[in-house]
């Protein structure tokens, strides 16, 4: 059963990557950095072709995570080619492979936490931990995505494992485990995400008060790991950004916190993490975690650093769910303890049976919400779909110059989808041994030295407005070179010029609607909930029950319906 639970965590992470292979703009820096590491290598001559010099972003980010992911992906691709497990036929396959590698790493971190839960709380609680984790949406869906937070998640989970991987009757972890766990949190805060320092603070205080570590040892851990981490990120990132000295995360903290620039992306009320983001991340695990804390003092000790971290982070005006994603595993530990408390009640009375049903019902409700969220997310990347479709439609043509609009670039049109532009992957038509040798040469011997320079041009220039692109007499000579466009605005002005025609429209997620019987009220379109309420007021409760009871199972499956809307259009010059 333990092995099955581990496979469930890994399989859930992989499934989210496979069903939603495209990416969003938040992932673009690390995704494109990984692309450049894979495709160009890391020699000084290769750096000129790196994407971050063209699109640097608001603040510099570390290359350490992308370097490690790129190197691990190289090995995974070579293994796949050698064993014929997974064919590598396109750059999109490489993107999926990189995301699967990241998902695997984070899944292994959660598996370590589950094993620590098994030792500390028992196997049934660890099974509920796995089920709760896999039934949630945000963590499994995003842990294979190249957000900086997802690179930080692995060392944070390893730190959790070191602190709580001990027998149920053990009073404290070993000094080595404590020091290593705190050191990993220092490393994560220095290199990947500065907000982890706010998690480190209550965690260090707790270990100090609980007697896990002495004050001098705690100071020594902070100085040693801090110095080594600063040295590492400064050496690596100064090289890749061509700026000395550069500590990216310190620059980001100064820009976002001390200069207050994070407020430019919006601010939220102080309690937003507690009232909105935690319920969204945890779903049914939130009330179960409160029950687990009431039932077991060990669960309370797990939750203390989490609550303190969220409270400290609430002082910042700009709030996003991903800033608190690190506490989800620990909340799930407490929730798993609460779920097992419910499931272990005596089934000989109605209260015990109700408690058991409540635990299973929570998992079922989580799964339904996650299924709906995943289904919507699968069609929420129109940019990736549009560019992949474009590559397929015009494969074999030459002299293609396409402009990619902002929405397309933000919703999946990554550099891994520049399929018909250099660098080109080795042909997949060769034998497995030849393909493995070709991939080895490509990834480990500066692949672009002998790469042809001709190919399609994928242009993402942001300053080219729709009015300029649609103008019959464009003032910019660059616009006249475009043979195709992917646009987010209505294509009518483009078509009206006579220079463009619509090739295909790409749909994306619009909303979920309820499809109830007409006698109860139509909630589609503008009717909404008010329309349903008016319909219900027009008939008796008995008629409502009779109407709903007469529905077939197939009819019930169609109660919730996903609506799509056209988001992007592929245009061709006439």
């Amino acid at each position: 059963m333990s092995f099955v639970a581990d496979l469930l965590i890994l399989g859930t992470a992989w499934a989210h990557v496979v069903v939603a292979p495209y990416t969003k703009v938040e992932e673009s820096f690390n995704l494109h950095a990984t692309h450049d590491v894979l495709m160009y290598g890391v020699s000084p001559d290769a750096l000129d072709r790196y994407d971050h010099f063209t699109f640097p972003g608001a603040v510099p980010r570390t290359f350490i995570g992308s370097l490690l992911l790129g190197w691990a992906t190289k090995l995974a691709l070579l293994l796949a080619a050698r064993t014929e497990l997974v064919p590598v036929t396109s750059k999109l396959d490489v993107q999926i492979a990189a995301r699967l590698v990241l998902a695997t790493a984070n899944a292994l971190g959660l598996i370590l936490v589950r094993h620590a839960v098994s030792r500390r709380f028992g196997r049934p609680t660890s099974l509920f931990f796995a089920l709760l984790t896999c039934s949630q949406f945000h963590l499994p869906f995003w842990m294979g995505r190249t957000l900086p937070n997802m690179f930080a998640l692995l060392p944070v989970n390893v730190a959790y494992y070191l602190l709580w991987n001990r027998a149920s009757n053990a009073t404290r972890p070993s000094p080595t485990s404590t020091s290593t766990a705190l050191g990993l949190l220092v490393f994560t805060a220095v290199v990947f995400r500065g907000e982890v320092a706010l998690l480190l603070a209550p965690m260090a205080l707790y270990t100090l008060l609980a007697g896990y570590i002495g004050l001098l040892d705690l100071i020594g851990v902070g100085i040693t790991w801090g110095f080594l981490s600063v040295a590492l990120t400064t050496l690596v990132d100064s090289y890749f950004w061509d700026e000395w000295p550069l500590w990216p995360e310190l620059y980001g903290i100064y820009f976002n916190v001390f200069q207050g620039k994070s407020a430019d992306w919006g601010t939220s009320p102080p309690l937003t993490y507690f009232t909105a983001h935690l319920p969204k991340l945890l779903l049914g695990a939130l009330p179960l975690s409160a029950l687990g804390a009431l039932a077991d003092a060990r669960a309370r000790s797990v939750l203390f650093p989490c609550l303190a971290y969220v409270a400290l982070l609430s002082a910042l005006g700009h709030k996003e769910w991903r800033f608190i994603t690190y506490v989800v595993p620990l909340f799930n530990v407490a929730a798993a303890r609460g779920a097992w408390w419910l499931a272990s009640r005596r089934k000989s009375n109605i209260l015990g049976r109700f408690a058991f049903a409540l635990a299973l019902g929570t998992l079922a409700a989580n799964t339904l919400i996650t299924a709906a969220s995943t289904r919507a997310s699968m069609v929420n990347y129109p940019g990736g779909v549009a560019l992949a479709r474009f590559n397929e439609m015009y494969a074999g043509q030459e002299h293609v110059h396409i402009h990619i609009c902002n929405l397309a670039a933000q919703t999946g049109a990554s550099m891994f989808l520049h399929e018909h532009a250099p660098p080109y992957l080795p042909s997949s038509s060769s034998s497995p041994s030849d393909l493995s040798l070709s991939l080895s040469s490509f990834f480990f011997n500066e692949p672009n030295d002998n790469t042809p320079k001709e190919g399609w041009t994928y242009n993402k220039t942001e300053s080219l407005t729709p009015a300029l692109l649609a103008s019959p007499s464009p003032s910019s000579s660059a616009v006249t070179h475009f043979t195709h466009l992917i646009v987010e605005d209505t294509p009518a002005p483009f078509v009206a010029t006579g220079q463009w025609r619509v090739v295909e429209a790409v749909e994306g997620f619009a909303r979920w609607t309820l499809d109830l019987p007409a006698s109860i009220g139509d909630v589609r379109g503008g009717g909404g909930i008010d329309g349903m309420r008016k319909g219900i007021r027009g008939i008796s409760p008995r008629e409502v029950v009779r109407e709903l009871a007469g529905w077939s199972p197939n009819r019930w499956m169609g109660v919730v319906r996903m609506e799509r809307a056209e988001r992007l259009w592929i245009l061709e010059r006439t």
Side-chain angles (χ1 to χ4, degrees):
M1 184 62 70
S2 177
F3 180 68
V4 173
D6 293 342
L7 282 182
L8 181 63
I9 294 174
L10 180 61
T12 301
W14 282 5
H16 281 293
V17 173
V18 172
V19 301
Y22 304 113
T23 59
K24 285 286 180 72
V25 64
E26 300 93 332
E27 309 160 55
S28 61
F29 171 76
N30 282 298
L31 184 73
H32 290 164
T34 302
H35 168 278
D36 294 339
V37 169
L38 278 165
M39 299 297 180
Y40 300 129
V42 296
S43 68
D45 294 337
L47 295 185
D48 291 339
R49 287 167 277 188
Y50 273 41
D51 181 69
H52 68 287
F53 289 119
T54 305
F55 300 99
V59 294
R61 293 296 183 190
T62 181
F63 266 82
I64 291 177
S66 299
L67 270 175
L68 296 175
L69 179 59
W71 291 338
T73 303
K74 290 181 181 183
L75 297 177
L77 289 171
L78 292 176
L79 178 63
R82 175 66 68 178
T83 59
E84 299 183 77
L85 289 175
V86 181
V88 181
T89 60
S90 66
K91 292 181 186 178
L92 179 59
D93 292 337
V94 180
Q95 174 175 301
I96 295 173
R99 291 190 52 213
L100 286 173
V101 170
L102 180 60
T104 301
N106 278 321
L108 291 176
L110 289 172
I111 289 171
L112 286 176
V113 175
R114 193 200 68 78
H115 282 265
V117 172
S118 181
R119 287 197 65 195
R120 185 72 175 148
F121 295 91
R123 288 186 178 179
T125 301
S126 72
L127 175 61
F128 272 111
F129 171 83
L131 294 175
L132 285 168
T133 299
C134 294
S135 68
Q136 292 165 341
F137 171 70
H138 280 83
L139 184 58
F141 183 82
W142 283 91
M143 62 197 240
R145 296 185 171 274
T146 53
L147 286 174
N149 312 78
M150 297 303 117
F151 287 98
L153 184 63
L154 176 60
V156 169
N157 279 334
V158 174
Y160 293 157
Y161 167 78
L162 292 171
L163 286 174
W164 279 284
N165 181 39
R166 60 185 191 272
S168 59
N169 59 351
T171 59
R172 65 189 66 185
S174 68
T176 301
S177 295
T178 303
S179 299
T180 306
L182 295 176
L184 283 172
L185 293 177
V186 172
F187 168 79
T188 307
V190 169
V191 174
F192 292 118
R193 292 299 304 180
E195 71 263 13
V196 175
L198 299 180
L199 176 63
L200 170 65
M203 198 74 77
L205 179 62
Y206 175 79
T207 57
L208 184 63
L209 295 178
Y212 297 175
I213 192 172
L215 179 59
L216 293 179
D217 291 333
L218 178 62
I219 295 173
V221 168
I223 293 175
T224 302
W225 281 80
F227 175 79
L228 293 176
S229 301
V230 170
L232 176 64
T233 188
T234 302
L235 289 173
V236 171
D237 294 309
S238 296
Y239 170 76
F240 280 98
W241 285 93
D242 194 22
E243 180 181 342
W244 178 267
L246 179 65
W247 175 3
E249 204 52 35
L250 180 62
Y251 187 98
I253 293 173
Y254 175 75
F255 179 85
N256 289 309
V257 179
F258 290 96
Q259 290 188 329
K261 297 295 185 179
S262 63
D264 295 344
W265 283 266
T267 58
S268 304
L271 296 180
T272 299
Y273 282 129
F274 292 99
T275 59
H277 294 312
L278 275 178
K280 179 173 67 175
L281 289 169
L282 298 173
L283 301 177
L286 183 58
L288 286 178
S289 64
L291 178 61
L294 291 174
D296 195 326
R298 294 170 300 174
R300 290 194 293 274
S301 68
V302 168
L303 283 183
F304 164 74
C306 300
L307 294 173
Y309 169 66
V310 177
L312 290 171
L313 205 59
S314 296
L316 299 178
H318 180 63
K319 298 175 177 64
E320 297 183 36
W321 66 265
R322 59 191 179 98
F323 297 159
I324 60 170
T325 189
Y326 322 108
V327 303
V328 172
L330 293 190
F331 269 98
N332 284 345
V333 171
R337 181 65 185 91
W340 174 235
W341 185 90
L342 289 174
S344 61
R345 298 303 92 192
R346 291 179 178 272
K347 311 303 185 295
S348 57
N349 56 65
I350 189 172
L351 289 179
R353 292 192 290 271
F354 174 76
F356 183 74
L358 185 60
L360 297 185
T362 300
L363 291 172
N366 278 8
T367 303
L368 288 175
I369 294 172
T370 296
S373 300
T374 303
R375 183 69 187 92
S377 297
M378 290 169 62
V379 294
N380 204 25
Y381 295 85
V385 174
L387 192 52
R389 180 70 181 128
F390 178 82
N391 289 333
E392 179 185 351
M393 286 191 298
Y394 293 95
Q397 291 196 16
E398 298 180 354
H399 309 298
V400 173
H401 192 162
I402 180 172
H403 180 262
I404 301 169
C405 67
N406 287 339
L407 180 62
Q410 292 172 2
T411 58
S414 73
M415 293 181 64
F416 281 104
L417 286 172
H418 294 189
E419 190 63 45
H420 300 289
Y424 301 104
L425 290 178
S427 172
S428 60
S429 60
S430 54
S431 66
S433 60
D434 291 339
L435 178 59
S436 176
L437 184 62
S438 299
L439 287 174
S440 177
S441 175
F442 180 86
F443 285 131
F444 292 98
N445 295 306
E446 294 302 326
N448 261 357
D449 289 346
N450 299 311
T451 298
K453 301 303 180 184
E454 296 182 0
W456 292 7
T457 301
Y458 296 85
N459 187 300
K460 296 187 293 183
T461 304
E462 298 179 9
S463 59
L464 302 181
T465 63
L468 178 61
L469 291 170
S471 174
S473 301
S475 59
S476 173
S477 60
V479 175
T480 63
H481 296 164
F482 292 132
T483 59
H484 300 81
L485 305 174
I486 297 179
V487 300
E488 61 192 89
D489 300 275
T490 176
F494 296 87
V495 176
T497 65
Q499 298 187 34
W500 301 96
R501 70 179 184 90
V502 177
V503 177
E504 189 167 321
V506 177
E507 295 181 333
F509 174 76
R511 59 180 175 175
W512 289 106
T513 60
L514 295 177
D515 192 7
L516 293 175
S519 58
I520 296 181
D522 188 358
V523 298
R524 291 170 294 179
I529 299 300
D530 291 337
M532 183 179 66
R533 289 172 178 168
K534 292 177 182 178
I536 291 177
R537 283 198 295 268
I539 58 178
S540 68
R542 181 176 298 179
E543 290 174 320
V544 174
V545 173
R546 186 183 300 118
E547 182 75 32
L548 295 178
W551 274 10
S552 66
N554 290 335
R555 187 73 177 89
W556 274 109
M557 293 296 292
V559 171
V560 180
R561 183 167 54 88
M562 184 176 67
E563 289 189 357
R564 304 188 188 194
E566 292 182 344
R567 301 300 188 195
L568 297 170
W569 290 266
I570 301 174
L571 307 182
E572 180 183 61
R573 187 181 291 277
T574 57

